[in-house]
Amino acid sequence: MAIKDEDIIQLATTPMNRLEQSYLPEVFKGFGTTLRHFFTSFGQGRTSQTIQYPEQRREDYHPLEGGMEKSNFRGVHRLNRDEDGRVKCVACMMCPTICPANCIHITAEESPWDDREKYPKKFEIDELRCIFCGMCEEACPVDAIELTTEYDIVGLSRQEMVFDKNKLLNVYDVTIDKKPM
Amino acid sequence: MFYFENILKVLVIIVPLLVSVALFTVAERKILSSIQRRRGPNVIGIFGLLQAFADGLKLLVKETILPSSANKALFILAPLVTFFLSLIGWAVIPVNEASVFSDLNVGILYLFAISSLGVYGIIISGWASNSKYAFLGALRSAAQMVSYEISIGFIIINVILCSGSLNLSAVVLSQKSIWFCIPLLPMFILFFVSCLAETNRHPFDLPEAEAELVSGYNVEYSAIGFALFFLGEYGNIILISSITVLLFIGGWLFPFFSTLSGSLCFSIKTFFFIALFIWVRAAFPRYRYDQLMRLGWKVFLPFSISWVIFTASILSCFNWYILCFWIFLILYLLVLICFLLVSLGFY
């Protein structure tokens, strides 16, 4: 749809008057503005919008105050378990197909259980390659892969940041109380 | 015994200077962060006061990288030159009456010579690094410092004319009746702005223009070499602030509070100028290079030269107090006329 002529707003910069063209009063205005900010924010955390990360966390604040919106936050992945504690994934290969970063690697195998045909023998997510777009979560037909609200994951090596099936199931065990399925 | 005494004197100057350089960097980060409504360093030590020492330690234990195509000897020499040149200027700075390391009769000339030599550290580093960014940064820096040094020279001539001496203590003592910043107000403002350019500070920090030149002449330096450049640069800022105080703000003199300790007065005034350096950095955007050169050669230089002639001619006709009166009168008239012209639209 083309933009209509009446929707276009012409913004003209206001011409400077003689005093402003000399820049001299503006220099002192600049000094004044910075000084005001200095005195209203020096030493008092209340006026500052900074969240002191390790001590204060975004989870503790309301989203309107710069906090975290937990319902749709996209953090580290987890692999959900079903009622019997088995991995819920059916190794349908939807998530590695949709993944734009190609960070999910699944080796499927015939399922030992009767209610499904396949299950993932190996399920690896390279968290360093992942761009946390949430497409895997959208693609999953059985809600087996989900993104949690955990965002501060660390590792001492690159290998450590490739999460395997056990680790992803552990993430489920840790975060199930915080974020129910 | 003589040597021991002298070494002690040197230490008494240098150790507090280095500590104040360290605290200056913390103060800069704290003040800038407050102006930008951030917190700044607040983890190491109370209010982050030990941040500078932690940074220094980090730089000390890091690896010194020598670029393979660099001229090794000059590459190592350059930060040393910058650092030591920022230190030796303090030999002639009187912090109080009769408390000066060397009461040189040509103190101002000595300081001027030292600050001119400061360009060499930058040129050497830029050339020895064998890197295009460093070289461009060094060229810019050198051109900038040389062009602003000329107008600084003419501004200082004004002060010398009024005080009648090149000895810094004598310059301060001649301000007993009135600080030079009042009769020489335009020169004082010009001097401060030139000092910003001379020390490569905002808004004239073109050698370090991050967007264009990465970090200027010190881009190839790491670890202790970088630390020495950093110390030298900030030491220079403190030195030039104290020179401003000595030449224009009456050094250790303070009217109405004659009981106040002289060196305390001197420190307070110097601190004010250091804070002004930081304040300016927070308030103003960077100049473009041609604007900087135009300001230096086409505005500052003619203005300071004509003011030298003005001061000299008035001094040859009248004595000192009448000079103040005349300059005041003319200044106020000028300001009034300018304001009228501007507000009436005859700009």
PDB file of all heavy atoms in Angstrom, chain A residues 47-61:
ATOM      1  N   THR A  47      17.594   7.768  41.334  1.00  0.00           N
ATOM      2  CA  THR A  47      17.281   8.413  40.066  1.00  0.00           C
ATOM      3  C   THR A  47      17.899   7.681  38.886  1.00  0.00           C
ATOM      4  O   THR A  47      17.525   7.893  37.761  1.00  0.00           O
ATOM      5  CB  THR A  47      17.793   9.856  40.061  1.00  0.00           C
ATOM      6  OG1 THR A  47      19.161   9.816  40.445  1.00  0.00           O
ATOM      7  CG2 THR A  47      17.015  10.713  40.999  1.00  0.00           C
ATOM      8  N   SER A  48      18.861   6.816  39.190  1.00  0.00           N
ATOM      9  CA  SER A  48      19.543   6.134  38.105  1.00  0.00           C
ATOM     10  C   SER A  48      18.743   4.928  37.653  1.00  0.00           C
ATOM     11  O   SER A  48      18.163   4.210  38.451  1.00  0.00           O
ATOM     12  CB  SER A  48      20.931   5.705  38.576  1.00  0.00           C
ATOM     13  OG  SER A  48      21.489   4.845  37.637  1.00  0.00           O
ATOM     14  N   GLN A  49      18.704   4.703  36.346  1.00  0.00           N
ATOM     15  CA  GLN A  49      17.967   3.579  35.807  1.00  0.00           C
ATOM     16  C   GLN A  49      18.799   2.301  35.803  1.00  0.00           C
ATOM     17  O   GLN A  49      18.322   1.257  35.407  1.00  0.00           O
ATOM     18  CB  GLN A  49      17.521   3.888  34.374  1.00  0.00           C
ATOM     19  CG  GLN A  49      16.483   4.981  34.296  1.00  0.00           C
ATOM     20  CD  GLN A  49      15.197   4.582  34.985  1.00  0.00           C
ATOM     21  OE1 GLN A  49      14.668   3.517  34.734  1.00  0.00           O
ATOM     22  NE2 GLN A  49      14.724   5.422  35.888  1.00  0.00           N
ATOM     23  N   THR A  50      20.066   2.417  36.209  1.00  0.00           N
ATOM     24  CA  THR A  50      20.948   1.265  36.145  1.00  0.00           C
ATOM     25  C   THR A  50      20.476   0.170  37.091  1.00  0.00           C
ATOM     26  O   THR A  50      20.157   0.432  38.239  1.00  0.00           O
ATOM     27  CB  THR A  50      22.374   1.674  36.530  1.00  0.00           C
ATOM     28  OG1 THR A  50      22.679   2.884  35.894  1.00  0.00           O
ATOM     29  CG2 THR A  50      23.357   0.617  36.117  1.00  0.00           C
ATOM     30  N   ILE A  51      20.428  -1.075  36.598  1.00  0.00           N
ATOM     31  CA  ILE A  51      20.179  -2.218  37.470  1.00  0.00           C
ATOM     32  C   ILE A  51      21.545  -2.833  37.781  1.00  0.00           C
ATOM     33  O   ILE A  51      22.281  -3.200  36.870  1.00  0.00           O
ATOM     34  CB  ILE A  51      19.249  -3.231  36.781  1.00  0.00           C
ATOM     35  CG1 ILE A  51      17.848  -2.628  36.636  1.00  0.00           C
ATOM     36  CG2 ILE A  51      19.182  -4.518  37.582  1.00  0.00           C
ATOM     37  CD1 ILE A  51      16.896  -3.496  35.857  1.00  0.00           C
ATOM     38  N   GLN A  52      21.881  -2.897  39.060  1.00  0.00           N
ATOM     39  CA  GLN A  52      23.197  -3.418  39.461  1.00  0.00           C
ATOM     40  C   GLN A  52      23.164  -4.931  39.353  1.00  0.00           C
ATOM     41  O   GLN A  52      22.799  -5.614  40.304  1.00  0.00           O
ATOM     42  CB  GLN A  52      23.518  -2.958  40.878  1.00  0.00           C
ATOM     43  CG  GLN A  52      23.577  -1.470  41.026  1.00  0.00           C
ATOM     44  CD  GLN A  52      24.758  -0.881  40.309  1.00  0.00           C
ATOM     45  OE1 GLN A  52      25.882  -1.280  40.551  1.00  0.00           O
ATOM     46  NE2 GLN A  52      24.513   0.043  39.395  1.00  0.00           N
ATOM     47  N   TYR A  53      23.615  -5.465  38.213  1.00  0.00           N
ATOM     48  CA  TYR A  53      23.239  -6.808  37.806  1.00  0.00           C
ATOM     49  C   TYR A  53      23.459  -7.949  38.807  1.00  0.00           C
ATOM     50  O   TYR A  53      22.471  -8.554  39.190  1.00  0.00           O
ATOM     51  CB  TYR A  53      23.862  -7.154  36.452  1.00  0.00           C
ATOM     52  CG  TYR A  53      23.892  -8.634  36.168  1.00  0.00           C
ATOM     53  CD1 TYR A  53      22.711  -9.365  36.149  1.00  0.00           C
ATOM     54  CD2 TYR A  53      25.083  -9.289  35.969  1.00  0.00           C
ATOM     55  CE1 TYR A  53      22.723 -10.708  35.906  1.00  0.00           C
ATOM     56  CE2 TYR A  53      25.094 -10.641  35.734  1.00  0.00           C
ATOM     57  CZ  TYR A  53      23.914 -11.353  35.709  1.00  0.00           C
ATOM     58  OH  TYR A  53      23.933 -12.676  35.483  1.00  0.00           O
ATOM     59  N   PRO A  54      24.656  -8.219  39.291  1.00  0.00           N
ATOM     60  CA  PRO A  54      24.701  -9.453  40.096  1.00  0.00           C
ATOM     61  C   PRO A  54      23.874  -9.340  41.370  1.00  0.00           C
ATOM     62  O   PRO A  54      23.313 -10.323  41.823  1.00  0.00           O
ATOM     63  CB  PRO A  54      26.179  -9.621  40.422  1.00  0.00           C
ATOM     64  CG  PRO A  54      26.889  -8.690  39.531  1.00  0.00           C
ATOM     65  CD  PRO A  54      25.952  -7.580  39.249  1.00  0.00           C
ATOM     66  N   GLU A  55      23.767  -8.129  41.927  1.00  0.00           N
ATOM     67  CA  GLU A  55      23.003  -7.963  43.169  1.00  0.00           C
ATOM     68  C   GLU A  55      21.512  -7.832  42.880  1.00  0.00           C
ATOM     69  O   GLU A  55      20.684  -8.447  43.539  1.00  0.00           O
ATOM     70  CB  GLU A  55      23.496  -6.739  43.936  1.00  0.00           C
ATOM     71  CG  GLU A  55      24.892  -6.879  44.500  1.00  0.00           C
ATOM     72  CD  GLU A  55      25.937  -6.373  43.546  1.00  0.00           C
ATOM     73  OE1 GLU A  55      25.580  -5.606  42.634  1.00  0.00           O
ATOM     74  OE2 GLU A  55      27.116  -6.766  43.683  1.00  0.00           O
ATOM     75  N   GLN A  56      21.173  -6.980  41.924  1.00  0.00           N
ATOM     76  CA  GLN A  56      19.769  -6.822  41.545  1.00  0.00           C
ATOM     77  C   GLN A  56      19.587  -7.511  40.201  1.00  0.00           C
ATOM     78  O   GLN A  56      20.455  -7.460  39.354  1.00  0.00           O
ATOM     79  CB  GLN A  56      19.426  -5.338  41.381  1.00  0.00           C
ATOM     80  CG  GLN A  56      19.794  -4.502  42.580  1.00  0.00           C
ATOM     81  CD  GLN A  56      19.701  -3.031  42.264  1.00  0.00           C
ATOM     82  OE1 GLN A  56      19.724  -2.615  41.114  1.00  0.00           O
ATOM     83  NE2 GLN A  56      19.600  -2.226  43.310  1.00  0.00           N
ATOM     84  N   ARG A  57      18.451  -8.146  40.038  1.00  0.00           N
ATOM     85  CA  ARG A  57      18.222  -8.852  38.776  1.00  0.00           C
ATOM     86  C   ARG A  57      16.941  -8.360  38.137  1.00  0.00           C
ATOM     87  O   ARG A  57      16.041  -7.864  38.813  1.00  0.00           O
ATOM     88  CB  ARG A  57      18.165 -10.357  39.042  1.00  0.00           C
ATOM     89  CG  ARG A  57      19.452 -10.904  39.637  1.00  0.00           C
ATOM     90  CD  ARG A  57      19.300 -12.359  39.946  1.00  0.00           C
ATOM     91  NE  ARG A  57      19.122 -13.148  38.744  1.00  0.00           N
ATOM     92  CZ  ARG A  57      20.119 -13.692  38.074  1.00  0.00           C
ATOM     93  NH1 ARG A  57      21.348 -13.525  38.485  1.00  0.00           N
ATOM     94  NH2 ARG A  57      19.883 -14.406  36.995  1.00  0.00           N
ATOM     95  N   ARG A  58      16.890  -8.505  36.820  1.00  0.00           N
ATOM     96  CA  ARG A  58      15.733  -7.969  36.098  1.00  0.00           C
ATOM     97  C   ARG A  58      14.453  -8.704  36.487  1.00  0.00           C
ATOM     98  O   ARG A  58      13.361  -8.159  36.354  1.00  0.00           O
ATOM     99  CB  ARG A  58      15.956  -8.072  34.598  1.00  0.00           C
ATOM    100  CG  ARG A  58      16.913  -7.019  34.077  1.00  0.00           C
ATOM    101  CD  ARG A  58      16.976  -7.058  32.581  1.00  0.00           C
ATOM    102  NE  ARG A  58      15.697  -6.747  31.984  1.00  0.00           N
ATOM    103  CZ  ARG A  58      15.297  -7.185  30.804  1.00  0.00           C
ATOM    104  NH1 ARG A  58      16.084  -7.969  30.117  1.00  0.00           N
ATOM    105  NH2 ARG A  58      14.122  -6.862  30.323  1.00  0.00           N
ATOM    106  N   GLU A  59      14.573  -9.947  36.952  1.00  0.00           N
ATOM    107  CA  GLU A  59      13.386 -10.693  37.342  1.00  0.00           C
ATOM    108  C   GLU A  59      12.646 -10.002  38.484  1.00  0.00           C
ATOM    109  O   GLU A  59      11.430 -10.161  38.641  1.00  0.00           O
ATOM    110  CB  GLU A  59      13.749 -12.103  37.823  1.00  0.00           C
ATOM    111  CG  GLU A  59      14.312 -13.009  36.762  1.00  0.00           C
ATOM    112  CD  GLU A  59      15.812 -12.975  36.736  1.00  0.00           C
ATOM    113  OE1 GLU A  59      16.362 -11.876  36.573  1.00  0.00           O
ATOM    114  OE2 GLU A  59      16.435 -14.025  36.893  1.00  0.00           O
ATOM    115  N   ASP A  60      13.392  -9.237  39.315  1.00  0.00           N
ATOM    116  CA  ASP A  60      12.799  -8.660  40.511  1.00  0.00           C
ATOM    117  C   ASP A  60      11.977  -7.414  40.205  1.00  0.00           C
ATOM    118  O   ASP A  60      11.351  -6.857  41.104  1.00  0.00           O
ATOM    119  CB  ASP A  60      13.903  -8.291  41.520  1.00  0.00           C
ATOM    120  CG  ASP A  60      14.785  -9.491  41.802  1.00  0.00           C
ATOM    121  OD1 ASP A  60      14.304 -10.616  41.585  1.00  0.00           O
ATOM    122  OD2 ASP A  60      15.938  -9.296  42.220  1.00  0.00           O
ATOM    123  N   TYR A  61      12.004  -6.953  38.955  1.00  0.00           N
ATOM    124  CA  TYR A  61      11.308  -5.705  38.646  1.00  0.00           C
ATOM    125  C   TYR A  61      10.104  -5.945  37.744  1.00  0.00           C
ATOM    126  O   TYR A  61      10.048  -6.919  37.006  1.00  0.00           O
ATOM    127  CB  TYR A  61      12.251  -4.724  37.948  1.00  0.00           C
ATOM    128  CG  TYR A  61      13.316  -4.214  38.851  1.00  0.00           C
ATOM    129  CD1 TYR A  61      14.503  -4.908  38.997  1.00  0.00           C
ATOM    130  CD2 TYR A  61      13.130  -3.048  39.581  1.00  0.00           C
ATOM    131  CE1 TYR A  61      15.489  -4.457  39.841  1.00  0.00           C
ATOM    132  CE2 TYR A  61      14.110  -2.586  40.426  1.00  0.00           C
ATOM    133  CZ  TYR A  61      15.290  -3.291  40.550  1.00  0.00           C
ATOM    134  OH  TYR A  61      16.249  -2.838  41.382  1.00  0.00           O
TER     135      TYR A  61
END
